[in-house]
Amino acid sequence: MTTPRPRIPAPAPVERACRCAWDEALRATLDPGEQSALAALGRWIEEPDRPYAILHGPRPSRRAVVAAHLVRTQREGTTYAATLVPIAPDLRLERDLVALLTSRLLAGYGGGSPRSLRMRIAEEHVRVGPTEGEPSLLLAITDVEEAEPLVSWPALFSAVGPRVKVLATVEGDDAAARAWIQRLGFDSARTRIHPLPTGPWPAPGDPAALLAAAGAVPAPLLGLLSVAYGRLRQDEITTALGVPIEGALAGIEPLLTTIDGTYAFRTNAARREVEERLDRSERETSIRRLLSLAPDGYPCAYARAHLEQAAAPLQAFAALVTEEHLARWMARPEGYLGFVADLERVRRRAVGALPMSHEATALAVRAALVEASVNSCARREDDDAPVGVEPMTRETPIADERRQARALTALGAAMAAGPARAEVLEWAKDAARRIPDVEFRGDVLLSLAEVLEGEAGYTVAREALTAFRTVENAEDRAHQMLVATGGLPTEEGVAVAREALASLRDGAGDPGDIDCFSKYFPRAVAEALWPDVEALPGPARARVLAALAGVLGDPDRVHAAFAAVEQHIEPYGLQWHWTLKQLVPLLDAPEARRAAKLAPGFGEHAVELFEGLIPRLRAQGDPAEDLLEALPEASRVRALARSLPFATDPARLQARIEAAVRKAKPLDRYGLLFDVGPWLGAAGESDALLAWIAPLGDAHHLSALGYLASHDPVHAPDLARRALPLALRLGADEPNRLLALLPLARHLPPEGAAAAFGLLLDALAADIRPAALAGDGVSLDRLAPLIAALAGDEGLAGAAREVVRVAAWFP
């Protein structure tokens, strides 16, 4: 029975490599030792608790042939869907392996970036395994040493599903095979190791004998092919050697194979025989000839691999993160699959050069933003196109000026005053001015004005106000004008606030809504508005006076505002709940008692008011025990914790809190820790709080450590350092856990901070660029504290420069 050649819907070079390896392997007849190894692997297939296997043997052993025959036998049955992954020319880099493995996802694939495909492979098809009704999966990866050290194996195979088997073949003895277990990410306790004994090399084809017949010194063509990572075209060979290929082939044809006009060694063993005979000068000459070929040919696909192997300086890798390099890739069969692989490796190499190099920071950021931009452009239009090689469309601009400005503002704000900071903020201003939506433009300009100082800040705030004045809806326009008052000089802010108040009072909206914007008011604006607000209708007057009193804090103003609230308050109105809550921290004891009588009118929201009233009463000598007893246990603990700053006997109060906590279950204690953390943390009691949740897992401890570090300035450095290892362990799958530590970046050890930066950039690069620049997830604006800790102002300026550069590249 003839087993059909597997159809590989992958880029042409990958398909070609698999076709060649399949044909070569199945053409061979197994000798008795090889048949014995094949039988042993057949028994391994039946072992449910051994998902991994390594077949090893010396160079003459035909390990790949045995693996191919195993795949064929499994394909002839119905139990396994078997795939051969032959490491050889055209299939020696990570992108090639990804291309082959993603070919399994062709059916039902709706589009996405190469990295998202790899995540699907790892998570859905390798870690989870086939779904019910599908055959089990066998991956046979041959000659893995050929890809070392250019492939990150553990990312794919560190965990496999219950119906997944992975076989790797390795050159070497038993010790070499065991060393590969860790490199591949296999579980040593669940790995079966099989030796493949070898006899004389099957004739014809012994590379040592053929080389001896060809002469002691390898022919120039052999030297060229031995250091090449992929197949070479005939014209490339002619150019590199300067002679017609016919003359170069004399006497060495049996060592080589020709496919579609390309040349490579017939076997990996033959390639290695030649490579080991080259001296350093011959090797360097051959590599130099390869890299001097046309940039859109061999160097496009393999320059990065040669740079890595030569441990080239980081600056040499910057040429791989350019628009020209992308254009070259898009003209090749691999498309942006190869480009994104280059971006990822360059980014991780740059992160490895941290924490001191600001050039490394900039290059890492550029690679991440470019990858996110490529993700935005990727579109799958042809269902028959190889996976990962869809065309790119740039018809729709992806440059989001709003998020550019936000990212640049955050980076500039983290810098010290000086020319570099001024330049970054000027870039932010330019991006903000180009935002088409006037409300967004005003918001971003106002945020920028807060970062700028003196007259420069006022100038930008005036620009924001000008944008807000063009908002079409009168109520929205008035509200935005109120927001702008905080960034303007006092007299201008007062005039704008009065103008907005008049607009609302004259029918543009409810003037009482001004209470939502009082947090933006400077004290002078609140002072100036007070007389105007006193003339408002009753309910609106009460709400706004309470908001202004909260800004001013003056006792007489508080008394007047509370009296107005008492007169007009409406039960169950959440607006009034908010109004009363603003006044609670300012009330005197009699007023606080009267407020406590109003609180039950807000139903379930009354508890929140009581939790604020109790500390206020205790601060004025009223123990408020009656209110405490009326609260649920968790609310009582919160109220007591908030009372700590005013306690005459803090130890006694803390003992009451701890007694309540001891009665709670660990998960309930975890919730209470966040309730009392701001107050007990500020008192330096973080370790005592952490003891409450000792039985809980790492995820709970990580959240608690980060939270307490933000409230316990004395112990913050130690808490942040203790949190970092947990965050790194959990952050690969949950990067938001690392984000929570970024405000504490200055406390993190340099090596740990660099590792965190690498993980977060991985997540940023997997997004689309607008979200990668600024947003609620992992975005560049949120990484500013970490960049500052790693590379200082130069690193921040370099990252900002890349924002501008990539925005021009992908408009």
Side-chain angles (χ1 to χ4, degrees):
M1 174 180 178
T2 301
T3 303
R5 175 188 299 150
R7 177 180 179 270
I8 307 295
V14 177
E15 191 278 336
R16 182 174 59 203
C18 293
R19 182 183 67 197
C20 175
W22 183 259
D23 291 344
E24 287 280 341
L26 295 187
R27 193 178 298 125
T29 301
L30 300 185
D31 64 25
E34 292 165 343
Q35 290 176 349
S36 175
L38 179 62
L41 291 173
R43 292 190 293 272
W44 161 70
I45 290 285
E46 302 300 324
E47 295 184 84
D49 58 342
R50 301 276 183 164
Y52 306 109
I54 294 180
L55 178 68
H56 70 91
R59 182 170 302 164
S61 62
R62 299 189 301 177
R63 303 172 301 279
V65 171
V66 175
H69 279 263
L70 177 68
V71 168
R72 182 180 67 176
T73 59
Q74 296 304 316
R75 279 179 172 272
E76 289 171 350
T78 59
T79 304
Y80 276 88
T83 299
L84 184 68
V85 185
I87 308 301
D90 282 335
L91 195 56
R92 290 170 65 184
L93 305 182
E94 188 164 11
R95 64 156 198 275
D96 305 320
L97 298 172
V98 171
L100 177 60
L101 295 173
T102 51
S103 66
R104 300 189 63 252
L105 303 180
L106 183 62
Y109 163 55
S113 68
R115 288 217 303 139
S116 68
L117 285 173
R118 182 174 54 206
M119 289 173 61
R120 284 186 63 190
I121 296 165
E123 295 174 6
E124 299 177 19
H125 291 262
V126 178
R127 294 182 189 178
V128 175
T131 59
E132 186 176 351
E134 290 184 334
S136 299
L137 172 63
L138 168 64
L139 297 175
I141 310 170
T142 66
D143 296 321
V144 295
E145 68 279 351
E146 286 290 308
E148 183 72 6
L150 301 173
V151 173
S152 302
W153 299 101
L156 290 173
F157 304 122
S158 57
V160 296
R163 293 196 294 125
V164 175
K165 294 277 189 176
V166 183
L167 166 67
T169 75
V170 174
E171 178 182 309
D173 57 14
D174 190 76
R178 295 188 181 281
W180 269 97
I181 290 177
Q182 183 176 2
R183 293 185 206 171
L184 292 166
F186 290 3
D187 180 351
S188 59
R190 299 195 298 154
T191 300
R192 180 70 71 192
I193 296 178
H194 294 286
L196 178 59
T198 183
W201 189 278
D206 181 355
L210 289 170
L211 285 171
V217 179
L221 174 56
L222 292 183
L224 195 70
L225 292 174
S226 72
V227 299
Y229 283 96
R231 293 182 170 275
L232 293 179
R233 302 193 311 264
Q234 179 173 327
D235 62 313
E236 290 178 319
I237 293 172
T238 300
T239 300
L241 298 181
V243 297
I245 194 170
E246 291 76 15
L249 286 170
I252 59 173
E253 295 95 331
L255 290 169
L256 305 181
T257 180
T258 305
I259 302 176
D260 299 340
T262 65
Y263 291 81
F265 279 94
R266 186 173 299 279
T267 66
N268 288 328
R271 188 199 68 78
R272 292 170 69 82
E273 284 281 350
V274 172
E275 185 183 30
E276 290 176 0
R277 294 171 185 239
L278 296 178
D279 62 30
R280 180 176 179 179
S281 175
E282 291 168 331
R283 179 181 179 83
E284 290 178 351
T285 298
S286 293
I287 293 174
R288 191 162 52 249
R289 286 172 171 169
L290 289 171
L291 296 181
S292 66
L293 294 169
D296 59 347
Y298 180 91
C300 174
Y302 301 107
R304 189 257 303 164
H306 284 291
L307 291 172
E308 286 184 347
Q309 288 291 68
L314 185 63
Q315 294 85 344
F317 290 85
L320 305 180
V321 193
T322 61
E323 193 163 9
E324 294 77 14
H325 193 54
L326 171 59
R328 288 191 287 265
W329 267 117
M330 293 307 296
R332 293 179 61 85
E334 302 94 328
Y336 66 80
L337 182 74
F339 180 63
V340 169
D342 281 353
L343 291 180
E344 185 175 9
R345 298 288 291 206
V346 171
R347 186 179 71 251
R348 292 183 177 176
R349 194 169 193 88
V351 169
L354 295 171
M356 297 305 296
S357 170
H358 59 273
E359 293 93 348
T361 304
L363 183 57
V365 168
R366 188 201 313 175
L369 291 179
V370 169
E371 184 174 339
S373 301
V374 170
N375 295 341
S376 303
C377 294
R379 298 290 185 274
R380 183 169 178 80
E381 299 173 352
D382 179 2
D383 288 341
D384 293 326
V387 174
V389 194
E390 300 82 22
M392 285 175 56
T393 174
R394 289 165 64 173
E395 295 176 0
T396 303
I398 62 172
D400 186 321
E401 293 88 352
R402 179 189 179 197
R403 301 204 202 199
Q404 284 178 46
R406 283 179 57 187
L408 290 166
T409 299
L411 294 167
M415 299 172 68
R421 183 179 193 262
E423 183 179 32
V424 171
L425 295 179
E426 193 64 32
W427 293 336
K429 190 191 307 180
D430 177 69
R433 286 170 173 164
R434 290 183 280 108
I435 298 172
D437 184 284
V438 291
E439 287 193 67
F440 288 160
R441 188 192 316 149
D443 286 340
V444 172
L445 285 169
L446 204 56
S447 298
L448 178 59
E450 294 174 4
V451 176
L452 295 167
E453 298 174 354
E455 188 58 36
Y458 294 150
T459 300
V460 174
R462 292 184 187 110
E463 286 191 53
L465 178 62
T466 299
F468 290 148
R469 286 188 184 281
T470 64
V471 173
E472 185 174 348
N473 182 276
E475 183 177 19
D476 291 343
R477 182 167 63 246
H479 290 168
Q480 296 288 23
M481 290 169 65
L482 290 169
V483 172
T485 57
L488 297 169
T490 301
E491 291 185 2
E492 293 178 43
V494 169
V496 169
R498 282 178 168 155
E499 180 185 347
L501 173 59
S503 175
L504 294 169
R505 186 183 56 215
D506 294 342
D510 182 355
D513 289 344
I514 292 178
D515 66 347
C516 298
F517 305 97
S518 62
K519 63 183 179 181
Y520 300 105
F521 295 166
R523 182 179 180 85
V525 170
E527 286 273 11
L529 285 184
W530 187 274
D532 298 331
V533 171
E534 286 188 311
L536 291 175
R541 173 176 173 271
R543 288 171 57 200
V544 182
L545 287 179
L548 297 181
V551 175
L552 299 170
D554 176 75
D556 291 337
R557 304 286 177 83
V558 173
H559 294 327
F562 186 66
V565 169
E566 283 186 299
Q567 181 181 358
H568 297 286
I569 195 168
E570 299 173 7
Y572 298 103
L574 291 182
Q575 289 178 327
W576 289 104
H577 177 269
W578 165 248
T579 299
L580 189 56
K581 184 181 174 183
Q582 288 184 96
L583 282 175
V584 162
L586 304 170
L587 300 176
D588 62 20
E591 289 169 337
R593 277 292 173 179
R594 298 208 303 274
K597 292 180 180 178
L598 296 172
F602 294 99
E604 62 184 15
H605 296 286
V607 169
E608 190 177 358
L609 290 170
F610 284 132
E611 289 178 11
L613 285 165
I614 290 167
R616 183 62 184 162
L617 286 166
R618 293 177 73 91
Q620 297 173 87
D622 183 342
E625 291 293 342
D626 57 326
L627 301 183
L628 276 167
E629 290 303 317
L631 288 177
E633 189 72 14
S635 296
R636 191 181 312 156
V637 171
R638 283 194 292 270
L640 290 172
R642 293 173 66 174
S643 302
L644 276 171
F646 319 113
T648 55
D649 187 357
R652 183 178 177 187
L653 190 56
Q654 191 167 333
R656 287 184 66 179
I657 295 171
E658 290 174 351
V661 169
R662 279 195 295 271
K663 299 176 186 176
K665 296 178 180 178
L667 274 177
D668 295 328
R669 294 180 191 175
Y670 177 70
L672 290 172
L673 181 148
F674 290 90
D675 292 331
V676 305
W679 296 276
L680 287 177
E685 297 292 334
S686 292
D687 280 334
L689 293 175
L690 291 168
W692 294 0
I693 61 169
L696 299 181
D698 287 349
H700 296 91
H701 279 267
L702 170 59
S703 298
L705 284 164
Y707 184 76
L708 293 173
S710 65
H711 294 286
D712 185 346
V714 174
H715 299 103
D718 177 62
L719 294 169
R721 285 191 289 269
R722 288 159 62 184
L724 182 60
L726 300 178
L728 290 173
R729 189 157 69 246
L730 299 169
D733 296 322
E734 301 176 74
N736 282 337
R737 295 188 178 279
L738 276 167
L739 285 178
L741 293 184
L742 294 196
L744 308 166
R746 65 189 182 280
H747 301 311
L748 302 179
E751 294 76 13
F757 189 54
L759 282 175
L760 290 169
L761 279 187
D762 274 352
L764 184 153
D767 215 322
I768 59 174
R769 198 188 76 218
L773 285 167
D776 295 331
V778 179
S779 51
L780 188 60
D781 62 328
R782 301 185 69 180
L783 299 189
L786 188 55
I787 295 173
L790 283 168
D793 283 359
E794 287 184 316
L796 291 162
R801 194 170 294 109
E802 298 305 336
V803 171
V804 176
R805 181 190 307 220
V806 177
W809 180 356
F810 290 94

